[in-house]
Amino acid sequence: RQMCIRDRVSTQSTGLKSFSHSLNSRMTEPTFAGIEMGGTSVLVAISDPASPTSVKESIRIPTTTPDETFGKILEWLRTKKFDSIGIACFGPLELDINSDKYGSITTTPKPKWANVPVTHRFKEFNCPIGFDTDVNAAAIGHYRFGLSEKVNKTKGGMGCCYITVGTGVGVGVVVNGQAVHGLLHPEAGHIFVPRRDGDNFEGGCPFHKNCVEGLVASGAVAKRKQITPSEIPSIPDDDPVWDSFAFYLAQLCNTLTLILSPHEIVLGGGLLQRTSLFPRIRKHAAQLVNGYLTSPSDLDKHIIPSPFGSNAGIVGAFALAQSAFADSRS
């Protein structure tokens, strides 16, 4: 493979020590191109060389057809200078480096985007590329740049999860500094959880109806209220729909805690910009776990918003680019 598509799973989890070494061998700090590919739009950005979590310049491009979308991304990037590229992409994705379809979107329900190659579109830049799901990238970005100092110093910063809730529910997982991959990548938004007493909502997932995504994604919230997703911001904070939302998301948080034992679970995405949801989610998480693991006060530091806010995705893309760059020099 050419250098620019030698992106591999391991590049996304290169240790910080390795990256620091690569910086020390350069006269200047590297610059990263980040691409956060969403189902509605794509954010393309160049990092500030002085801070890999800061955006120096960016452009947002509508996600239309693959050819049109990639054409506009390439057109913009051709005018920029950067050392590596990180692509945080909606999925599902093929992340098996031994597969002929590696670097592609696979079975997405998004029209015209199923089985679309992604990484090979950028080979003209002849630079390292990091590639992963948007939520895994956000988890990697949080692990590298966002974990609290207390976690890093006292517990080693061994892992975190990132949950995004918007049109779907995505979960990214980092364990021992590495993004979790295997048969596929984590799709924990599609697990089933016990239903709340008296809740007969059929769910909104096109595949599973009442999985977590089918119960809390924007389409589900809109369906419960018989409104359009664009009207969701007008729902008051004290509406009962948010208590059901928090109940099911709390179960997802507890499941991840019990199986993976992450030090922090970061919640992001469009619906979780509503900060009043966090106390509700923590309350239900504490009630459901029933004193088995952590105290309610511990949950304030365990289930948290992203310190990067709406920039969590692009920070994750920069982290992928950073790892790909470091891997290319090791």
Side-chain angles (χ1 to χ4, degrees):
R1 297 173 185 243
Q2 295 186 26
M3 184 179 181
C4 103
I5 57 172
R6 66 185 299 271
D7 50 323
R8 57 185 65 189
V9 174
S10 62
T11 67
Q12 296 152 25
S13 55
T14 301
L16 295 178
K17 188 178 295 183
S18 166
F19 177 69
S20 298
H21 174 75
S22 71
L23 290 187
N24 291 336
S25 64
R26 289 171 59 90
M27 295 298 292
T28 58
E29 303 289 347
T31 299
F32 307 122
I35 303 171
E36 181 188 2
M37 294 191 62
T40 302
S41 66
V42 179
L43 178 61
V44 191
I46 302 297
S47 70
D48 184 338
S51 171
T53 64
S54 299
V55 175
K56 181 180 180 181
E57 53 184 322
S58 65
I59 185 172
R60 190 169 290 278
I61 296 167
T63 306
T64 55
T65 65
D67 286 344
E68 182 177 19
T69 304
F70 285 120
K72 291 180 178 180
I73 295 171
L74 293 169
E75 181 181 9
W76 191 78
L77 285 177
R78 287 175 186 136
T79 67
K80 311 301 175 185
K81 293 183 179 180
F82 47 85
D83 296 285
S84 59
I85 300 172
I87 305 171
C89 187
F90 65 89
L93 305 178
E94 179 55 79
L95 297 174
D96 181 356
I97 62 173
N98 297 312
S99 170
D100 292 338
K101 294 183 179 180
Y102 172 71
S104 299
I105 298 169
T106 59
T107 57
T108 178
K110 184 171 176 59
K112 301 181 181 180
W113 282 84
N115 301 309
V116 169
V118 177
T119 54
H120 95 284
R121 300 263 187 171
F122 300 91
K123 64 183 181 181
E124 67 180 75
F125 297 108
N126 192 34
C127 69
I129 296 179
F131 180 65
D132 211 325
T133 64
D134 46 3
V135 283
N136 258 355
I140 294 167
H142 184 76
Y143 175 84
R144 188 162 298 160
F145 306 121
L147 274 179
S148 70
E149 284 298 311
K150 183 177 180 181
V151 169
N152 276 318
K153 289 179 180 178
T154 66
K155 299 182 181 179
M158 299 299 285
C160 63
C161 296
Y162 184 93
I163 302 173
T164 181
V165 184
T167 55
V169 176
V171 178
V173 179
V174 172
V175 176
N176 291 335
Q178 298 187 14
V180 171
H181 302 137
L183 177 66
L184 187 62
H185 41 73
E187 285 286 357
H190 292 278
I191 67 171
F192 292 91
V193 295
R195 299 298 299 273
R196 198 176 194 188
D197 290 345
D199 184 9
N200 298 315
F201 177 61
E202 65 177 358
C205 174
F207 294 98
H208 312 119
K209 291 293 185 182
N210 58 355
C211 60
V212 171
E213 180 173 302
L215 295 171
V216 305
S218 59
V221 174
K223 192 174 181 180
R224 283 183 185 272
K225 297 296 295 181
Q226 298 183 334
I227 59 176
T228 64
S230 63
E231 296 175 283
I232 289 176
S234 67
I235 303 175
D237 285 350
D238 60 357
D239 191 288
V241 73
W242 297 123
D243 206 51
S244 292
F245 176 97
F247 176 82
Y248 293 118
L249 201 58
Q251 290 196 64
L252 177 57
C253 291
N254 282 351
T255 298
L256 293 172
T257 298
L258 291 165
I259 295 174
L260 299 170
S261 194
H263 294 309
E264 293 178 349
I265 297 178
V266 185
L267 305 183
L271 293 187
L272 287 159
Q273 300 308 305
R274 189 182 290 256
T275 56
S276 62
L277 290 171
F278 283 82
R280 289 175 182 255
I281 294 166
R282 295 179 188 124
K283 179 194 73 172
H284 283 297
Q287 290 173 346
L288 289 163
V289 82
N290 199 26
Y292 183 67
L293 288 177
T294 56
S295 68
S297 61
D298 291 334
L299 291 175
D300 291 342
K301 299 177 182 178
H302 181 60
I303 299 174
I304 60 173
S306 171
F308 306 113
S310 60
N311 278 341
I314 200 65
V315 169
F318 288 157
L320 296 180
Q322 182 195 65
S323 292
F325 174 80
D327 183 74
S328 73
R329 297 176 62 82
S330 62

